[in-house]
Amino acid sequence: MPRNDIDWEKLGFGFSDVNCHIRAVWKDGEWGEFELVKDPFITMHIGASCLHYGQECFEGIKAFRQKDGRIAIFRPMENAKRMERTAIRCVMPPMPPEKFVEACDRVIAANEEFVPPYGTGGSLYIRPLLIGTGPQIGVAPAKEYTFMIMVMPVGAYYKGGMKPVRAVILDDWDRAAPHGMGDVKVGGNYAASLFAHEKAKHDGWPVELYLDAKSHQFVEEFSTSNFMGITKDGRYVTPDSCSVLPSVTNLSLRDVARDLGMTVERRPIPYTEIRDFAAVAALGTAVVITPVWEITRGSDVIRISDPDVVHPTLTKLYQTVQGIQYGEIPDTHGWCHEVSI
Ligand code: COI
């Protein structure tokens, strides 16, 4: 049962302490057993490769308390496979996807009281991490790794949930190079965005949008999430680029859009096309579907909608995906993974 000493309706997207996280160590060529650990601090060697050479990656997943009281994780196998791809790219030993999902189940079961009650709009955020913990001073992969999953109850990422936000393009900073690491989930991609992110926030934009690093002519993604536009004739359009993270939310929404009879296009999107969209949204585990009402690039201000107006297609996509996640709509794709408590 959810705890009664948490104000579930007031949750934002922030860290909070829970009972424990789960961890396993890889050494001598194999993964050790999972262990539930109460202490939220970790001790590691000062020479750990994650500290020096950024040998680390992470994931973002959510679990939902459904209408019938059960707890379901949304598509954990997709995140497990994405972390496997990221690990291989960073020369780290992947956590086998089945073991990854088992670890999600175990850490959620151990923190069941932190899964927000049905009807509050909250969820349990699941943050798996894989880091090089072996000492490594010459540039090379470490010989020891630690896999961890921490969980915490969360609400909306941007204040107001489905309330539209303004975005900015800052041409002085890029997120990821073509054939770099943009298509995998490494902390470095977020570190690369922090300076521009802080500048954007300081100047009044909660999120920045990146164009492709080579030509600055094509839309890539937001600092926190994927980009999607709805054309005036109702098509779902999202960028196809080798430096964009393949978002599980975007993948799922493309299926939802097709189920709703929409045409889905994954293709390069020129910056100049943005002004033709009837709606634009940021898509991701944390942000779900966040409408974007205005995009500024220097003196070019593209107004997509009124600040308080959410396009009905975005509302429909949002209600459908959240309906599946909270068990209100039949899960015809088999996306919800039930956690045994
Ligand atoms: C997520 O959506 O889960 C992410 O990892 C993105 C991060 C900005 C919160």
Side-chain angles (χ1 to χ4, degrees), residues 94 123 180 253 266 272 287 295 298 306-307 310:
S123 55
L253 284 167
R266 194 157 160 244
T272 48
V287 306
I295 298 178
D306 285 339
V310 179

Side-chain angles (χ1 to χ4, degrees), residues 13 58 60 125 127 157 185 190 224 284-286:
F13 193 90
F58 72 99
Y125 188 65
R127 175 51 72 84
Y157 191 86
K185 202 162 172 74
Y190 297 81
T224 54
T285 299

Side-chain angles (χ1 to χ4, degrees), residues 138-296:
V139 178
K143 293 187 179 59
E144 188 186 301
Y145 295 85
T146 304
F147 172 82
M148 286 165 282
I149 304 181
M150 64 176 190
V151 294
M152 71 214 71
V154 295
Y157 191 86
Y158 295 113
K159 278 197 196 93
M162 262 297 257
K163 197 171 157 15
V165 296
R166 305 163 72 211
V168 65
I169 295 170
L170 297 168
D171 278 289
D172 286 346
W173 298 280
D174 294 320
R175 173 185 169 271
H179 311 294
M181 304 277 259
D183 62 336
V184 290
K185 202 162 172 74
V186 293
N189 291 337
Y190 297 81
S193 75
L194 280 178
F195 190 88
H197 194 60
E198 286 304 289
K199 179 164 171 46
K201 274 205 294 194
H202 176 264
D203 295 344
W205 287 279
V207 67
E208 74 280 12
L209 175 64
Y210 290 90
L211 302 180
D212 76 284
K214 193 171 174 189
S215 72
H216 279 212
Q217 284 185 30
F218 294 93
V219 176
E220 292 257 290
E221 65 178 318
F222 296 100
S223 50
T224 54
S225 42
N226 272 189
F227 177 99
M228 180 266 276
I230 303 289
T231 60
K232 296 208 169 86
D233 62 357
R235 285 169 288 133
Y236 178 121
V237 188
T238 194
D240 186 17
S241 158
C242 64
S243 43
V244 162
L245 186 73
S247 148
V248 177
T249 306
N250 192 351
L251 179 74
S252 310
L253 284 167
R254 294 204 294 271
D255 280 339
V256 169
R258 285 188 203 98
D259 292 348
L260 294 171
M262 294 171 66
T263 300
V264 172
E265 293 173 12
R266 194 157 160 244
R267 58 165 171 81
I269 303 179
Y271 166 75
T272 48
E273 191 181 342
I274 296 179
R275 63 185 73 252
D276 296 334
F277 287 127
V280 165
L283 313 176
T285 299
V287 306
V288 196
I289 302 177
T290 298
V292 177
W293 70 274
E294 185 189 84
I295 298 178
T296 298

Side-chain angles (χ1 to χ4, degrees), residues 66-194:
Q66 301 201 320
K67 208 172 175 184
D68 60 8
R70 290 187 291 184
I71 296 172
I73 316 176
F74 190 67
R75 306 193 77 176
M77 196 41 116
E78 287 302 320
N79 294 85
K81 288 193 241 157
R82 187 170 70 182
M83 185 178 249
E84 186 179 36
R85 289 196 299 273
T86 307
I88 291 168
R89 176 70 174 84
C90 299
V91 200
M92 299 197 275
M95 176 56 72
E98 292 73 22
K99 299 288 288 175
F100 176 109
V101 176
E102 177 196 324
C104 291
D105 285 345
R106 284 186 56 185
V107 71
I108 293 171
N111 290 287
E112 179 275 332
E113 71 224 64
F114 293 97
V115 182
Y118 172 75
T120 56
S123 55
L124 189 77
Y125 188 65
I126 305 164
R127 175 51 72 84
L129 277 168
L130 172 60
I131 60 177
T133 37
Q136 192 59 49
I137 292 309
V139 178
K143 293 187 179 59
E144 188 186 301
Y145 295 85
T146 304
F147 172 82
M148 286 165 282
I149 304 181
M150 64 176 190
V151 294
M152 71 214 71
V154 295
Y157 191 86
Y158 295 113
K159 278 197 196 93
M162 262 297 257
K163 197 171 157 15
V165 296
R166 305 163 72 211
V168 65
I169 295 170
L170 297 168
D171 278 289
D172 286 346
W173 298 280
D174 294 320
R175 173 185 169 271
H179 311 294
M181 304 277 259
D183 62 336
V184 290
K185 202 162 172 74
V186 293
N189 291 337
Y190 297 81
S193 75
L194 280 178

